[in-house]
Structures are given as C-alpha cells and as structure tokens.
Amino acid sequence: MRTRNQSRQTQQSIGEEDLMKHPGSISGKFDDSGMLTNISRDAVGRLLKRVKSRGSRGLSRVDESYLQQCHSTGMPESGSKRNSELCFDQTVREDDGCCGRDVITNSLLESGRRGELDESEWEEGSIPAVNLANTSEEHTIGGVTVEFDVTPDSAKKKSARRATAEEKELAELVHKVNLLCLLGRGRSFDSACNDPLIQASLLSLLPTRLLKITEVPKLTAKALASVVDWFHNNFRVRGPGSTQEPPHLALAYALEAHEGTAEEVTALSVALFRALNLTVRFVAILDVVSLKPELDKPESSSQGTGKAGGGIFSSSTLMVTGSGHLSVSPLTTPTSNEKDNGFRTSIGCKRKGKARLLENNPESKDSSPVNNLKDIKMEPSTSDCHDGVSDACLATKPDGSKRKGDLEFEMQLDMALSATAIENSKTIMDSDFADLCGTKSKLLPPAKKMKVVRTEESPVSANGMSTAIGSRKVGAPLYWAEVYCSGENLTGKWVHVDAVNAIIDGEQKVEEAVAACRKSLRYVVAFAGQGAKDVTRRYCMKWYKIASQRINAIWWDAVLAPLKELESQATGGVVHLQHEASKVENMGTLQAAGNQIKDCLPDSCLMSEKSKRQTCEDYSIEKYGRNPFSSMRSSLEDMELETRALTEPLPTNQQAYKNHQLYAIERWLNKYQILHPKGPILGFCSGHPVYPRTCVQTLHTKEKWMREGLQVKAEELPAKIFKRSLKQSEEQAGEDDEVGEGDHLALYGKWQTEPLCLPRAIDGIVPKNERGQVDVWSEKCLPPGTVHLRLPRVALVAKRLEIDYAPAMVGFEFRNGRSVPVFEGIVVCAEFKDAILEAYEEEEERRMAEEKRRNEAQALSRWYQLLSSIVTRQRLNNCYANGSSHEASAGIQKPDDTLSSEVGGNEDGRKFAGCQLDKFKDDKPPAPQFVLADDHEHVFLLDDKMFDEGSSTRTKRCKCGFSIQFEEL
DNA sequence: GTGCAACATTAACCTTTGGCTTAA
DNA sequence: ATTAAGCCTTTGGTTAATGTTGCA
C-alpha cells in the first residue's frame, strides 16, 4: 500500500506542469507502482457509499474521527494546511488501509462533477493532488475551486427537500422545450432519410437479390428479414455520436463509414427501406428531461453513489458515454442528462477529427472504432483522454478478483453497450484492444478501458447480440423503424424493425429493454413526411408507470396535431402495387446513379439545398402519392392505439390503481370519491376488487353543488357521511348550540342532484340568503327574475330609489389572515334594471362633476398653501439673513384663511397681489401681500419694488421701511 | 437487488362572511 | 350621527405527492 507520504513524494517528483501536460504518463507511473489508483478508487467508493448511507452525518463524522486521531497521534503538526487531506487519509486507512490521496482527489472530482465539470475536467482533476495539499478548506484544480465539506451532505439535503411550485413550473417548461427540440431533431433525421442521394447510395450497396422485396404483393414482417439481416451485417453502431452535424451530413458520413451512432444507423435503415418503396417511419424514444424537478439529480446521484463500484467514478452511463458508444438524445437540455452533455462536449471535437479523417482519406472504409480511438487518443485537445489509467484499474483488483461494485458497474455497462448494439464492433475491437491494453491502455479514457475489461468477460455472440445480459438480450433501443406491412393482419400493420439489433416485430420487447437500461419510454414518436405521431401506446404496456411522467395530454396533442396530419399524409399512400415494373427500373437507374455518386460523398451531399429539395419533392411525390385509403390506414392505427389504451392489463400492485386512468380499487379512493355504481368488477388485486375508473364519482356537500348550479334532490340520503375535524365540529356545535349536530359532513354525488331551483323574485323582492345577500358564484346561482349589476356604488342608487336589492358576493379573498367575502355590485329584480342603470348613469355624472369640483377646490387650496409658504420663507430670509431681530419679531404672517379673507375684502391688496406676483397671474389667484406687524400693516407698493438682475431677487418695501427680498420664480 | 406496502414528511390546496379607528 | 375607508396581520386543516423503511 502506498502511504500518503509516498504519494507526496511521487507528486513532488512530478512537477505540476508535467501533471497537466502529461497526465496519462503520470497515471502510468502510479499504476506501475502498486495499483495505487485502483486501491484509491476502492477506498473512495467505500467512503462515499458510507457517507451517503450516513446522510448528513457522514462528513462530520469523518472530521471527528480525524480530530480524534490527530489528538491521539500527534498529527498533523503543520496546522490546517493538510487537514482535509489527512482527515480523509485517516478515515480511509481506518477502513481498509487505502491511500487517502486519491480519496481527496476523487472526492473533489465528485464535487467537480456536481459542478457540471465535463469529462475532461474529471480526468484532469484526478492527478494534481499537490494542489490539494496546499489549501485547507478549499482546493483548486484547474482553476476550479471546490469547497470541501459540501458533497453528499448537501446533496442529500437537497434531494430531501421537495420541489416548490415554481420549480415544478420551470421543470415543466424545460420539459416542453426539450420535447419540442427533440421533435425537431426527429423531423430532421426523418427528412434526411428522404435524401435521394443517400437512398440511392444505399440501394447501390444492396445486393440485387434483395430488391425482390419490392415485388412482394403483401409485405410481411418475415419478408423483411433478409434486408434487415443484410443491413445489420453491413452497418455498425459505434460512437462517438455525431450530434453537432446536420443529419444529412451525419448520415452521409455514417453511410460512407458503414457505421455511426444508433440514431444515424437507424436513419440509414429507414432510408434504405424508403428507397425500397416501403412505407416507413423513423421512430425515436424522446429521452426528454424529467417533468418533475430534481428528479434527475437523485437519479444520477443514486446511480453514482448507490453503486459501490461507481461512486464518484460516475454513473454507469457516464462511463459509457465517456467511451463514446452511446449517443442518447443529443438535444437533451443541460438538466436532462449531465452525463450526456459532458460526453457530448468531449465527443464533439472527436467527431470533427473523425470527419476530417474521412475527408482526407475517403477510402478508409475500415475505419474501425479502434482507429477512432487512436485518433482520439492522438488528439491533444481531447483532454478527456487523460488519466485513463486510474479508471482502467477500476475493474479489477490487483489480485484480479472483482469487487461487487465493479461487477455491478460492468452489468450496467453491458446494458448500455447492448443498447447501442456495440457488440457488433466489439469483436473487431477486441483484437486491437488486446494490443492496446499492453501498451497504450493506460492512455485510454476510463470507459474505453472498461470496455476492454468487459469484452474479456463477456463473449459476444457471432451475430453481434450481447449475451451478457441474460434475459435482456435486447439492449435499450432508442431508435428503430416502423415498416407498414400490408400482409400482416387483415388490415395491415406497422411492424417494428430494429435493423441495428436485427430485430423484427419486437415491439413487446422494447419496454423491457428500455427498462433494463434505466431509460424511460415516456414518448415514442414516429416520424415521416416531416410529421410525427405519438405511438407510445404500441410499445408501452404499463402506461400507468409513465402517465405521470408525461406532459399533459392536451398540450401534447395540440403540438402533435399538425404533425400528425403530415405524418398521416406521408404514410397513407403506397404505390408499390401499381407500378412494379417501373419501380424496379427506376431503382436500377437509381442504383447506377448511386454508384456514380458514391465516391463523391460527402461532397455530393453538399449540393445546393434548392436542387436537393426539388429532387426530394419529386421523389416524394412519386413515392408518397396519396391513395384513397390513406385516411383509413391512419384511423385504423388510431383505433389500434386507442384499443391498447383501453385494454391495458390490470396492474399487479395496489398503488398503481391510485391514479390509474382505467381502473380503480376502493381503498385508494379519497374521501370525496365513491364507487357508483359499484361494479362491474374487472378483477382483483391483492384481494381488492378492481372497478372501472368510470365508476368513480366525486362527492360534494350541498353547498358546493349549489355553487355549480345544482341542488340535491329532495329525500336523497347522503352518499357518504364522515366526521368533521374536532375544531370544525366545535365551531359548528357552537353555532348550532347543539352538540353532535354539526360533527358530520354529508356528501352527495352528482347523480343525486338536479338543476338548481332557487325561489323566484316576487313583487320586486330579491330572495336572499341568511346573511341578506346573494352568493353569485355563477349566473346559475341568480334567483329567477333577478339580474346581477356588477357596478361600483350601484347599491347607493338602488337604495336612493328605494328598490330592494341584495349585495352580490362573488367569492372570497384571503386577507389579514382570514377569508373575507368579496362583493361586486348588487342583485336586483330584472324589472328595475333599466331604472337603476339610468339613475346610476345620472348619479355617476353628478359624482364625476362633484369630484371635478372637489379636485379644483383642492388644487386652489394647495396653491394658496404653496404661495403662502413662499412668502413666509422669503420673509424669514429677510429677517434672519440680515440679522434684523426686530424685524423678525415684527413680521408675523397670518394664517392662510386670514390672509384669504384679507385679500378677499381688500381691493388694494388684490391689486398689489396682481402686480407683485404677476408670474402666477394666469395660473392662480392672487396671493396675499400683507404682512402684519403688531401695530402696522405693511403695504408693498409697486413703485417700491426693486429687481436685482444678478441674483434674480426682488425687493419690496413698505412705506414704514420694512422690506422683503424674494427670488423671482 | 427489486418491488411492494406502510408509514412519514412536506408542499400545496382549500377554507371562507372582522372589528376597530378615523375621516368625510 | 352616520357612513365609508383604511388598517390590522398573514390560518390551519386536509390532501396528495414524495421520501423512507422494512419486508418478502
């Protein structure tokens, strides 16, 4: 075992710069010296597992253990610098004697992963532990600062917290956007499948004998076998996925290389079928981000931490994606699959490298995955290739035995690999990897190495199907084709064709395969003719499991409606029975053309969009000409899907009935629900009879029914009675003064109600409730012969006219901690409506006039106040600025009202005001110009007024000598 | 290890009708 | 004297969804 000190020595011998530049080589050194990383990973896996299992106490206990040991052993002497490091070191040693350096490293990596570090950062971060020892509470790797004591603790807390409404709303929005993006992507690929050049190229590759399929009058699934076999043997799935390129180009590359992502290869199969004049859909599982917030995080974390072998070495899927063998929902949003994104980021450049390679060497048909990997490894920019060794050592212990987690991890890896039928290429890769393992395996990214290990243990069958998954022989297909076989059934049938895995008519297996790979079958969409149709029902037998994970059906149907129409138009017409001879002829021409243009690919794919589109259209018209049965085929399928929806098998677990759309059991009804009628019994689940969901009726109180314009029929007994809560009972009892009267709540079903019959208004009197009002929940709640006048202040009018009315309560609002009724307008007898409205109009006019008058008066008053204030201010300025105390004491301003009266009763004053405040003359009435002294009333004459241009001040003088200065406004 | 059932926890929903002071 | 407006203060029980735990 390497100790921490040993590790440090190693680190010291290796400069930081070197670490960053040549992580792989350094990894190699570690690897050579005692499987350090292997041991470390084991330790980290255990540590994190323990931490997770302990929940929030995990790290604190680690700290405590560290502190205790520090005290007991006298370590560490140098303060906090190495605290965290030592802490983990000690803890790990305590457990299994493993080195702590990698524990720290990988713990940090874990943090980094949560911080959405991509794969390259993940790998870079695994080496430079020198950095780690330099900080106490924080550690910096490659510029990323990670606080040490966050990890599983906070993650756990976060996952324990439930999502708020806002978060749910956001998640729903993201979900919708993601769906739309994936729909767009599917349409894109579907469109690419119609590319005549691609189709022609495929035909040119197809052996002539297989063209006979076009001559089959009634196509059956069986007839497809030969073509599917051929395709399966000639096209392989491999990664990294090309997700950045346009589908047309991606297909061209895949066609040339005879390999591509599952999506591309499937699209090629669709293109081939279409070239053969079959009616085909490109089907994809839209692996959309979860509709529920936070759902992805626990999922990923559970995968990452729950598995002993996984732990911070990331979830299995990450490992797989890291290997570049799985391209899943490339347009998923960042929140959907961090793992995918990280993977995608790294593979983007890889694919470009690959693309360049293809362009430079168009004949490199044998560009095997191995070659790809070599290219990848040589790419200096692909930092994710660094430090593969530590991961490479994960799978086996030094002694060769396997740990539980490793086996588990490999199992997951198997699933993912089989999901993309990677087994096809495995056999080829194995031989190459045998060499690589000896020499270059240390340089491989983790999952690449994992794959090597895996292939040693999991022999691949000759036909490329995985045998490692036992019963789950079929991997999780995310893409396949649907071929319309008119020879199936009486009316024809859409047949599932997974050319990638060479599976025909395996629709029943899809759900299981998808579930095995922990993918969700929420949306299965078939694309054709730029349209799309949701065919999830065909593949999902347990709808109740996905129902809650799907967006609300109304929105989804609205989105799909126009696409469905397009799809229906495109797949409705089949012409292969009408012009068979010409078809074969055409195909021969296409094949020849394909041979000519084959070598030009992908350049030929770059033909002008316009001409391409034109070709496409021409071809489509020929191929997808409408026939009179198109709508019938579409509706037949709709019926089929609908039938599946209505004939879902009974779930075997009780909880599934809680919100099941079709079935219900009594124990999962809530208190406002009842079975009526109670039958028929469709089956039993754990002894509970299962009823149709249509038998479930919602119950309400009499009052609640009344709000809906219904009333309980006379002499109807409550369908259900239950006790109120203690408090409610007490309140009710208190009101009724009769204990026991109000402690029960009677509920009625809709079948016990009839339209509301309120007492009619008679003699102009409005029937009111016990509170003297009318509850107007809706128009239905208005007593016959009355109208609701929803006008403000209309009650006053009715009152003035002495017309009987009732305040209209329209609802409640929660205010000041309690519900308060909201009144809007009044309810009056219909015959008074016009009179009231007329009076109301008059009253409103009068009120408006009054209000206007009041406003004007208020404006006047405010002007008075303003001007008085100005005068006062000026006077005080004059008095105190000049230091004339006697003047100050002499000048006392009257209150406004006094001044007003003075002004009003003094002609001279009015005149002076007009002169001296001429600036305000047009806007406002003259202001008072009198200042009263004890024994003298100052009068400011116009002649005595002086104006100073410089300071814009005007000086007024009284004959007595008193003067006031003020600024001209 | 997985699925199920029971229980625990928590966010969201549902309920629902004042009283006093001050100004006009 | 009457009436309108403003202010105070911000429930708590129930349900459904979700998490946890234990069992087969």
Side-chain angles (χ1 to χ4, degrees):
Chain A
M1 183 190 93
R2 290 178 68 90
T3 63
R4 176 175 48 80
N5 288 334
Q6 282 173 306
S7 299
R8 194 180 302 138
Q9 283 165 13
T10 312
Q11 291 152 17
Q12 283 165 356
S13 69
I14 304 163
E16 262 187 64
E17 196 179 332
D18 286 338
L19 283 170
M20 300 310 290
K21 281 183 180 173
H22 310 290
S25 62
I26 290 162
S27 304
K29 290 177 189 177
F30 276 110
D31 190 38
D32 294 339
S33 54
M35 305 295 286
L36 174 63
T37 48
N38 195 17
I39 297 164
S40 301
R41 283 173 192 284
D42 192 8
V44 174
R46 290 188 198 188
L47 173 67
L48 287 181
K49 189 181 178 186
R50 214 178 53 206
V51 167
K52 296 278 181 184
S53 67
R54 284 176 189 171
S56 60
R57 293 174 306 146
L59 281 179
S60 62
R61 283 186 60 172
V62 168
D63 289 334
E64 283 167 16
S65 105
Y66 158 65
L67 288 173
Q68 286 164 4
Q69 293 195 28
C70 284
H71 283 300
S72 61
T73 61
M75 294 169 57
E77 67 291 344
S78 58
S80 62
K81 268 198 169 183
R82 302 188 332 249
N83 276 2
S84 304
E85 177 189 31
L86 290 169
C87 158
F88 277 81
D89 190 1
Q90 294 282 334
T91 310
V92 172
R93 254 189 252 167
E94 186 182 67
D95 275 348
D96 51 20
C98 287
C99 170
R101 186 192 65 81
D102 279 303
V103 174
I104 300 164
T105 305
N106 291 314
S107 298
L108 288 165
L109 287 173
E110 169 71 354
S111 303
R113 190 163 61 83
R114 284 198 317 284
E116 298 186 352
L117 288 178
D118 63 20
E119 189 187 6
S120 60
E121 288 167 306
W122 192 92
E123 287 178 345
E124 282 175 357
S126 64
I127 288 300
V130 170
N131 285 350
L132 310 182
N134 293 336
T135 53
S136 55
E137 294 174 0
E138 293 183 349
H139 299 270
T140 303
I141 303 172
V144 178
T145 303
V146 183
E147 291 203 9
F148 211 66
D149 57 348
V150 278
T151 40
D153 200 2
S154 58
K156 177 130 187 169
K157 274 180 190 167
K158 194 167 188 180
S159 66
R161 187 183 68 81
R162 294 183 55 186
T164 63
E166 193 181 357
E167 287 167 334
K168 285 176 183 170
E169 191 183 0
L170 180 65
E172 185 181 320
L173 278 174
V174 172
H175 183 86
K176 284 179 175 176
V177 170
N178 196 189
L179 266 181
L180 296 176
C181 290
L182 292 173
L183 272 181
R185 182 178 180 85
R187 296 177 71 199
S188 236
F189 265 88
D190 169 63
S191 171
C193 295
N194 287 336
D195 190 315
L197 295 173
I198 289 172
Q199 290 188 2
S201 301
L202 283 163
L203 277 184
S204 72
L205 297 170
L206 192 69
T208 316
R209 62 183 168 83
L210 295 179
L211 289 174
K212 286 178 184 172
I213 195 172
T214 59
E215 298 167 14
V216 178
K218 287 279 187 184
L219 186 66
T220 59
K222 203 177 174 183
L224 292 167
S226 53
V227 178
V228 171
D229 262 355
W230 173 84
F231 186 87
H232 177 68
N233 292 329
N234 282 274
F235 288 89
R236 291 185 299 265
V237 171
R238 63 114 180 83
S242 162
T243 57
Q244 307 300 325
E245 292 157 1
H248 282 82
L249 202 55
L251 289 199
Y253 284 134
L255 177 58
E256 187 185 26
H258 281 231
E259 62 185 18
T261 62
E263 188 177 28
E264 291 160 5
V265 172
T266 305
L268 282 179
S269 73
V270 171
L272 174 64
F273 293 137
R274 284 182 181 169
L276 291 167
N277 268 335
L278 308 180
T279 306
V280 190
R281 291 160 161 175
F282 174 70
V283 182
I285 293 179
L286 305 189
D287 190 22
V288 67
V289 61
S290 170
L291 183 58
K292 306 224 166 61
E294 304 288 324
L295 200 62
D296 289 337
K297 285 186 180 175
E299 194 175 29
S300 61
S301 67
S302 70
Q303 278 187 5
T305 60
K307 317 299 178 188
I312 61 167
F313 304 107
S314 134
S315 66
S316 64
T317 314
L318 175 60
M319 300 295 271
V320 173
T321 54
S323 75
H325 287 285
L326 186 60
S327 171
V328 182
S329 68
L331 279 181
T332 46
T333 58
T335 48
S336 71
N337 281 318
E338 293 173 26
K339 45 206 178 191
D340 286 351
N341 284 345
F343 155 60
R344 212 171 295 124
T345 309
S346 62
I347 63 174
C349 56
K350 292 177 192 172
R351 177 54 185 244
K352 285 191 176 104
K354 169 70 181 168
R356 281 198 300 275
L357 185 73
L358 285 172
E359 282 170 359
N360 295 338
N361 185 13
E363 293 177 8
S364 62
K365 289 274 170 69
D366 61 339
S367 54
S368 66
V370 179
N371 286 343
N372 295 340
L373 291 170
K374 283 176 182 170
D375 298 337
I376 292 160
K377 280 183 292 181
M378 295 312 162
E379 282 274 352
S381 60
T382 53
S383 55
D384 55 345
C385 302
H386 305 328
D387 190 28
V389 64
S390 50
D391 306 284
C393 300
L394 171 62
T396 53
K397 281 185 176 179
D399 58 1
S401 65
K402 292 206 171 269
R403 295 184 302 274
K404 189 178 171 187
D406 298 335
L407 293 172
E408 182 185 340
F409 169 72
E410 285 161 18
M411 184 66 176
Q412 292 174 0
L413 186 64
D414 262 333
M415 294 176 192
L417 288 174
S418 59
T420 51
I422 192 61
E423 289 78 5
N424 267 349
S425 53
K426 266 188 175 176
T427 38
I428 300 169
M429 296 169 74
D430 284 351
S431 57
D432 294 297
F433 269 107
D435 301 330
L436 285 170
C437 287
T439 56
K440 296 177 181 176
S441 61
K442 297 177 186 69
L443 300 175
L444 289 176
K448 295 186 182 76
K449 178 70 183 202
M450 285 305 303
K451 189 171 61 189
V452 177
V453 175
R454 182 68 205 100
T455 50
E456 287 164 0
E457 291 193 345
S458 170
V460 175
S461 65
N463 65 358
M465 291 299 293
S466 167
T467 56
I469 305 184
S471 61
R472 301 162 180 164
K473 286 193 173 182
V474 184
L478 294 171
Y479 309 97
W480 61 89
E482 274 185 353
V483 181
Y484 190 79
C485 293
S486 52
E488 294 285 336
N489 296 341
L490 288 173
T491 55
K493 178 191 171 189
W494 284 102
V495 174
H496 160 272
V497 178
D498 184 354
V500 167
N501 294 305
I503 301 167
I504 300 173
D505 204 9
E507 64 188 40
Q508 294 89 354
K509 300 173 189 170
V510 172
E511 187 171 31
E512 188 189 350
V514 167
C517 290
R518 297 174 187 278
K519 288 284 173 187
S520 173
L521 201 66
R522 289 165 292 177
Y523 303 92
V524 183
V525 179
F527 296 93
Q530 283 290 300
K533 183 173 186 175
D534 188 327
V535 293
T536 312
R537 285 283 187 188
R538 178 170 291 133
Y539 299 94
C540 182
M541 305 301 145
K542 295 173 180 173
W543 186 266
Y544 67 89
K545 282 193 173 178
I546 62 159
S548 66
Q549 299 171 33
R550 283 168 61 100
I551 195 72
N552 79 69
I554 294 171
W555 182 86
W556 182 233
D557 289 345
V559 166
L560 283 185
L563 297 176
K564 194 178 167 188
E565 180 65 22
L566 286 172
E567 194 276 338
S568 174
Q569 287 171 14
T571 57
V574 188
V575 291
H576 65 279
L577 293 178
Q578 296 167 13
H579 308 291
E580 290 171 29
S582 62
K583 284 291 147 50
V584 175
E585 195 178 319
N586 287 342
M587 238 169 283
T589 315
L590 277 172
Q591 198 166 3
N595 284 330
Q596 287 175 6
I597 60 177
K598 187 175 63 177
D599 294 334
C600 306
L601 284 172
D603 291 341
S604 57
C605 295
L606 302 175
M607 63 192 284
S608 79
E609 276 299 315
K610 189 182 174 184
S611 60
K612 198 161 65 176
R613 207 177 304 122
Q614 185 61 45
T615 319
C616 241
E617 283 168 3
D618 294 343
Y619 195 69
S620 300
I621 289 167
E622 182 197 3
K623 191 174 173 184
Y624 296 125
R626 298 294 305 274
N627 79 5
F629 302 107
S630 62
S631 59
M632 185 188 289
R633 177 182 295 176
S634 176
S635 51
L636 275 176
E637 189 191 25
D638 288 343
M639 283 168 60
E640 179 209 335
L641 298 177
E642 189 63 25
T643 305
R644 283 173 185 269
L646 296 173
T647 54
E648 201 178 321
L650 298 182
T652 52
N653 63 318
Q654 289 184 45
Q655 287 176 338
Y657 292 90
K658 206 169 179 181
N659 287 310
H660 202 288
Q661 289 184 320
L662 297 175
Y663 313 117
I665 57 179
E666 199 161 13
R667 71 164 293 188
W668 289 113
L669 300 182
N670 67 31
K671 75 175 187 181
Y672 287 100
Q673 289 177 325
I674 197 172
L675 288 166
H676 180 84
K678 201 168 180 176
I681 296 173
L682 303 174
F684 289 89
C685 175
S686 306
H688 299 276
V690 176
Y691 300 92
R693 177 60 65 173
T694 48
C695 295
V696 176
Q697 300 267 356
T698 303
L699 306 176
H700 288 309
T701 58
K702 282 183 178 177
E703 292 76 23
K704 195 108 181 195
W705 281 124
M706 202 172 285
R707 291 181 190 182
E708 295 185 15
L710 298 168
Q711 66 180 20
V712 175
K713 293 175 193 167
E715 296 178 7
E716 283 284 351
L717 295 173
K720 198 187 250 187
I721 299 176
F722 60 86
K723 281 195 169 184
R724 291 173 186 266
S725 67
L726 193 64
K727 190 187 170 191
Q728 284 176 321
S729 300
E730 282 170 0
E731 283 174 359
Q732 192 76 23
E735 284 172 13
D736 296 349
D737 285 335
E738 196 174 335
V739 180
E741 185 73 11
D743 59 349
H744 286 88
L745 195 64
L747 298 174
Y748 301 85
K750 192 166 188 174
W751 74 93
Q752 296 177 294
T753 63
E754 59 189 3
L756 189 59
C757 291
L758 292 169
R760 190 174 185 84
I762 301 168
D763 296 335
I765 305 298
V766 178
K768 307 173 187 71
N769 65 13
E770 64 274 16
R771 293 187 171 86
Q773 64 202 34
V774 175
D775 295 349
V776 190
W777 300 101
S778 70
E779 289 293 316
K780 293 175 189 169
C781 300
L782 281 176
T786 64
V787 290
H788 179 202
L789 302 177
R790 215 165 183 152
L791 298 166
R793 297 173 294 276
V794 71
L796 292 174
V797 177
K799 194 174 185 181
R800 185 165 57 81
L801 297 176
E802 296 181 340
I803 293 172
D804 185 63
Y805 71 94
M809 196 204 73
V810 295
F812 288 93
E813 77 179 12
F814 201 75
R815 209 168 52 197
N816 301 334
R818 63 166 63 88
S819 287
V820 290
V822 176
F823 295 93
E824 276 190 17
I826 57 171
V827 175
V828 293
C829 292
E831 60 264 30
F832 299 125
K833 179 184 174 186
D834 293 337
I836 289 178
L837 288 179
E838 199 175 323
Y840 178 77
E841 202 173 332
E842 286 173 13
E843 179 64 24
E844 281 299 290
E845 279 177 15
R846 192 195 62 75
R847 198 183 62 81
M848 295 287 279
E850 174 65 21
E851 192 174 325
K852 188 183 175 192
R853 189 194 61 74
R854 200 165 50 239
N855 283 343
E856 285 175 354
Q858 194 173 41
L860 201 64
S861 162
R862 284 176 179 165
W863 273 116
Y864 275 126
Q865 287 176 20
L866 173 66
L867 295 174
S868 301
S869 302
I870 291 169
V871 170
T872 304
R873 178 171 172 268
Q874 192 59 50
R875 179 176 55 76
L876 291 173
N877 263 343
N878 286 343
C879 291
Y880 295 104
N882 299 335
S884 171
S885 60
H886 101 270
E887 283 181 356
S889 62
I892 299 170
Q893 186 175 1
K894 277 188 177 180
D896 283 350
D897 52 352
T898 312
L899 290 168
S900 299
S901 64
E902 290 285 341
V903 169
N906 188 320
E907 282 292 322
D908 290 335
R910 193 184 292 268
K911 183 173 132 192
F912 295 142
C915 297
Q916 296 185 7
L917 290 170
D918 51 352
K919 189 167 184 7
F920 305 122
K921 185 165 60 181
D922 298 330
D923 303 322
K924 55 204 173 288
Q929 296 300 310
F930 299 94
V931 178
L932 297 177
D934 287 341
D935 55 352
H936 172 65
E937 183 174 309
H938 300 300
V939 178
F940 302 111
L941 298 174
L942 193 60
D943 295 340
D944 288 336
K945 190 171 67 175
M946 294 192 306
F947 182 68
D948 183 356
E949 293 284 346
S951 59
S952 298
T953 54
R954 199 175 289 278
T955 307
K956 298 186 293 184
R957 289 184 189 282
C958 176
K959 286 181 177 175
C960 71
F962 176 75
S963 67
I964 293 176
Q965 279 190 329
F966 59 95
E967 290 177 14
E968 189 78 61
L969 294 177

